[in-house]
Amino acid sequence: STWGLHSRLRASKFELRPLKSRLSPTKSHACLVSRAMSDVGSFMGDRLRALRADIPRGRASADSDVIIETTSAHSRKAKAMRDAIAVNTTYRAFRASPLHGLVGTRKGFIENSQALVRHLRSEMARIGATTRPYTIQGATFEAPTRRLDFLEIRVTFEKTVHNTTRQSEAQVILCSLTETQDEDEALTSKRAPYPAPHGDAVEVPVVFLPLVLVKGPQLIGASACDWIQKTFDCSMAPLWPAPHDLVHLVGEWAHRQSAADQPLELVFEPPPEVTGLRRIVYTIDATTVLDLRGEFSTAEDRNAALFDVLVKQFVEQFGIHLTGLTLARVSCPLAMLACDGKLKFHDAEALLSTVASLRRICLPQLFESKPVTAM
């Protein structure tokens, strides 16, 4: 049944919706074939410390053809993000380990795009006996700077539906989680020793782009990510934030929010065994969020403190305790993130800071979870 309660305060409202079919989060993602990682955490820590200490600002690395462009590279990255990432569009979010052997040169991009097209066409031909696959037209690799702190891969394809052929694009975006120029320099690609299959050490570029955004058909997105993993010896896994990660984002995004005309929305879901109730949608007026943000700006754990106050206000207004329910989605003027890995950006001008706010979710899980290996 559908319940409705009216708030006595202008600041808040919520709605309860009837239960519909519940789908497992794993069904909303294309599962990726990946290679196992070994000692990636300690390796990346050593690499970051070495990069901070050894790479001079504004100069090219002595053993790399990747140039560190300090004058306008960061602004070009921000513009590239605004051009590539569509606002109010749902992406499937993944996390990735460091990529080995990715070179930001025109020749390297052309070779990679050709290899990706061959792989996708092979995959479409493999499954063509049972389904009507997509016809792959081409692929492009684009990066705003040769430092490879942002990479956009576009795949053009055709699909015939009811005797009508339509052309469209799939998109895979790999992005660093940096917000400032100094952070970008710490994650700049640099050649590093890497064990070759025959046992000798070779020099290959290492690029760290932990956030992966995929848009388009699952089949193409999964195949493209599978090729990236095999080609650059990395591992990808769905970005499924835990409830405490979303609690952190409530405060993090509230303190980054500047607009006072869009509300904060929290979605709570009951356990699977509960019937008759699908979710609770709790909406808090933006003015209230900004006022509470000021009150807890100096708190030791301001994000948790802000969330606790919002939950307490909900209980006082409606007499319903949220104990036993799980925070499943957070939406605000900056972005929306759900526990099933769906991510949507709302503010094009705040893309850098919004992406940077996800580092706490991407980086700890990167070395803890096993990559998905089956569909």
Side-chain angles (χ1 to χ4, degrees), residues 352-366:
L352 271 178
S353 62
T354 305
V355 168
S357 68
L358 300 175
R359 71 183 70 187
R360 176 168 173 169
I361 301 177
C362 289
L363 299 181
Q365 291 185 359
L366 182 62

Side-chain angles (χ1 to χ4, degrees), residues 52-346:
R52 291 190 179 99
D54 297 340
I55 299 181
R57 181 175 299 183
R59 297 177 56 190
S61 174
D63 57 348
S64 173
D65 61 351
V66 178
I67 300 176
I68 305 170
E69 305 157 355
T70 59
T71 54
S72 59
H74 196 67
S75 61
R76 286 201 297 271
K77 173 189 174 183
K79 182 180 183 303
M81 292 180 67
R82 291 193 298 269
D83 293 342
I85 299 178
V87 297
N88 299 319
T89 299
T90 301
Y91 287 88
R92 301 186 298 276
F94 299 84
R95 47 191 172 82
S97 64
L99 284 71
H100 300 81
L102 177 62
V103 179
T105 62
R106 178 179 176 82
K107 178 181 178 181
F109 281 175
I110 292 176
E111 292 176 350
N112 287 327
S113 63
Q114 293 173 346
L116 176 58
V117 169
R118 289 193 298 268
H119 173 79
L120 292 176
R121 288 175 177 172
S122 175
E123 287 296 298
M124 298 305 110
R126 182 178 63 84
I127 66 171
T130 56
T131 63
R132 300 181 64 184
Y134 304 94
T135 302
I136 304 301
Q137 301 295 312
T140 59
F141 284 61
E142 295 183 8
T145 69
R146 297 182 66 187
R147 296 162 45 173
L148 293 178
D149 48 16
F150 182 85
L151 176 64
E152 179 189 14
I153 303 174
R154 289 185 178 269
V155 178
T156 56
F157 63 92
E158 290 183 349
K159 176 69 174 178
T160 302
V161 180
H162 302 303
N163 297 324
T164 301
T165 300
R166 299 178 180 178
Q167 188 174 42
S168 187
E169 281 188 342
Q171 190 181 35
V172 179
I173 295 174
L174 298 94
C175 187
S176 65
L177 299 176
T178 57
E179 190 174 5
T180 66
Q181 181 73 37
D182 291 338
E183 290 176 329
D184 279 346
E185 291 180 5
L187 293 176
T188 299
S189 57
K190 181 179 174 67
R191 295 189 184 279
Y194 184 70
H198 50 73
D200 297 332
V202 295
E203 297 290 321
V204 298
V206 178
V207 181
F208 193 36
L209 301 172
L211 178 62
V212 181
L213 306 175
V214 180
K215 183 183 70 171
Q218 278 194 348
L219 178 59
I220 295 179
S223 299
C225 291
D226 178 46
W227 176 85
I228 293 173
Q229 293 176 94
K230 294 179 179 178
T231 303
F232 302 112
D233 195 22
C234 67
S235 176
M236 293 185 185
L239 181 66
W240 291 336
H244 67 268
D245 294 323
L246 295 179
V247 169
H248 168 77
L249 279 184
V250 170
E252 185 73 17
W253 285 351
H255 286 89
R256 293 172 181 262
Q257 177 180 338
S258 58
D261 58 346
Q262 299 184 40
L264 169 68
E265 184 180 271
L266 308 179
V267 177
F268 297 86
E269 293 185 352
E273 60 270 16
V274 175
T275 59
L277 177 64
R278 182 183 180 187
R279 63 171 66 101
I280 296 178
V281 180
Y282 180 29
T283 304
I284 304 97
D285 184 84
T287 303
T288 302
V289 174
L290 296 179
D291 292 342
L292 291 175
R293 180 183 69 179
E295 295 181 14
F296 295 99
S297 60
T298 58
E300 182 177 355
D301 190 351
R302 62 181 188 179
N303 296 335
L306 176 61
F307 181 80
D308 290 342
V309 168
L310 294 176
V311 172
K312 182 178 179 181
Q313 175 179 288
F314 179 90
V315 175
E316 291 178 350
Q317 291 181 50
F318 308 115
I320 299 177
H321 291 271
L322 298 175
T323 304
L325 277 70
T326 301
L327 181 62
R329 189 177 72 203
V330 174
S331 180
C332 76
L334 295 180
M336 181 278 294
L337 180 63
C339 62
D340 60 1
K342 293 181 180 178
L343 176 61
K344 182 186 297 185
F345 298 94
H346 296 153

